[in-house]
Structures are given as C-alpha cells and as structure tokens.
Amino acid sequence: MSILSASLGLTRYRIIEEIPRELLGQIPEKLKQNCFVDIDATADERSFGWTNFDDMLDMNWTQSPPEKAEYFVFKLRLDTRRIPPSVLKKHLTIALNKELEHNKEQGKNFVSRDRKREIKEQVTLRLRARSFPIPAVFDVMWNPSANRVYLDTTNAKVRALFEDYFALTFDLHLEPLTPFFMAMDVLGEEAAPRLESLEPTLFI
C-alpha cells in the first residue's frame, strides 16, 4: 500500500545518532550503491534493496531524484519466490520415485537420507528457476530536519529487514517511535524510570 493512500499502516522512527552534515549529500549515491538487484533470470529465493519512489523498476533514479522538498523518499523493494508446498511435494515425490527405480536396478531398495536431501535441494532450485519472484514495495519518507523516518508497513519482518538495511546503507540506527519512546522524546531521558513504572488502566 502506498504512503499516498487515504489510509495505511505506518511505522515511525527517529535516528539515534547525530546525522553527519556531509551524509545528506551522499544519500542519492548510497541508495544507488544499495539498490535492488533483479533476480528474474536467476533461481535466487529473495532479493531486496532500494528503488525509486515514483517507479519501482527504476533502480538508477533516472525518472526522478529521491529529494522531494525537505524529504528524501524512496522504496524498499522485496522480491520473493514462493513454491507452494503441494507443488514441491508433488515434484519431490516424482524425483524420489525415479531415484528409487534407478537404485532398484542397481540392487538397492532404498534412497539414503543424504541423497534425499540432495534431491530435495535440486528439485527446489529447479522449481525456483521456473517461477517468477513476487515483488513487494514499501514506501520510505525521511525528513532529516525533523529527525523522522516513515515506513508504510507495520509488518514485523519487513520492519526488521528495513531497520537492518537502513543501518547498513547509511550507518545510522533507527529507533521505533512507540508511545514509550515518544514520551521520552518529549520528556527527556530522565523520565525513563517513571515511564517504565507506569501500569495500564482498564476502562471496562
């Protein structure tokens, strides 16, 4: 869901460190250095990286720059190949049956555990190569002057991937703006012991 939609799930962050002034001018180049790499012609299971906010197929920012007024905007693109379990089971059974027939010709009535594992890996790779990766994109808005970063998802796995990749790209670490951290942001670090001792109130 786009961050421009009428409603969406949004995760808000602040950056823990002081942002070096020279880093702001390096952001477009760092995005390109860590851009999404297409896996359509491979058998890779997953690929992720940054891409253009205006066009998820533009990994070089030729359509438009990431700078929008005081914001930097871009997308996290995640492509994943998923093989339905029933499809994998079918083709694995076919491959194991062929292997067993071959072994019987050699006087063996079984397929070893290591060989089964090897066949499963081969079948999985073959099926991946025949399937198209499913793309997903997540909008990112970064306002350096307000020290706020917005990600248009609340999915825990995507958030963890985004936080790690943001740190890898910019050498900056994100802190989710949960109510607790937002309260500390307003009241200061010295308020942490008081906030930690608060208990929820039930209005039922």
Side-chain angles (χ1 to χ4, degrees):
M1 184 178 293
S2 170
I3 208 164
L4 301 176
S5 301
S7 62
L8 73 156
L10 196 67
T11 302
R12 295 177 291 179
Y13 296 94
R14 76 178 181 96
I15 295 172
I16 299 172
E17 300 93 344
E18 187 83 23
I19 301 175
R21 186 179 298 272
E22 64 273 13
L23 175 63
L24 298 180
Q26 299 169 358
I27 289 174
E29 190 57 36
K30 287 183 177 292
L31 289 172
K32 291 179 183 178
Q33 291 170 357
N34 296 274
C35 70
F36 174 82
V37 177
D38 205 298
I39 56 171
D40 281 0
T42 73
D44 292 347
E45 184 177 9
R46 188 173 79 151
S47 180
F48 55 86
W50 311 121
T51 190
N52 194 325
F53 181 86
D54 298 308
D55 181 359
M56 76 169 189
L57 302 177
D58 179 14
M59 277 76 81
N60 294 308
W61 281 264
T62 55
Q63 299 287 337
S64 59
E67 298 95 335
K68 313 285 187 189
E70 73 254 41
Y71 290 86
F72 290 96
V73 295
F74 45 97
K75 291 179 185 288
L76 173 65
R77 179 174 167 185
L78 169 63
D79 279 23
T80 309
R81 279 188 169 89
R82 296 188 182 93
I83 304 171
S86 58
V87 174
L88 177 60
K89 182 178 180 181
K90 170 191 169 183
H91 288 273
L92 180 58
T93 301
I94 292 171
L96 288 173
N97 287 342
K98 287 183 178 179
E99 183 72 10
L100 183 58
E101 288 178 11
H102 174 74
N103 285 357
K104 285 182 177 179
E105 293 174 0
Q106 308 298 320
K108 300 178 183 178
N109 291 316
F110 66 94
V111 179
S112 70
R113 181 179 300 176
D114 289 342
R115 180 59 180 155
K116 285 181 179 178
R117 187 182 303 112
E118 183 182 346
I119 291 172
K120 184 175 182 179
E121 291 174 356
Q122 291 172 352
V123 170
T124 301
L125 284 174
R126 188 166 65 249
L127 291 175
R128 276 190 203 151
R130 292 169 57 185
S131 64
F132 289 108
I134 302 169
V137 289
F138 306 93
D139 293 347
V140 182
M141 294 181 64
W142 178 5
N143 185 343
S145 61
N147 192 23
R148 291 292 181 268
V149 177
Y150 304 92
L151 175 69
D152 80 327
T153 184
T154 57
N155 181 282
K157 290 183 178 178
V158 176
R159 283 171 44 202
L161 172 64
F162 169 70
E163 291 161 16
D164 290 344
Y165 205 59
F166 190 94
L168 177 67
T169 303
F170 304 110
D171 197 24
L172 297 171
H173 297 85
L174 297 168
E175 181 178 75
L177 283 176
T178 61
F180 177 86
F181 286 112
M182 289 180 71
M184 275 216 307
D185 198 36
V186 173
L187 301 174
E189 298 286 339
E190 63 276 5
R194 286 185 292 142
L195 293 170
E196 288 170 350
S197 64
L198 291 176
E199 296 182 0
T201 300
L202 297 177
F203 294 96
I204 300 176

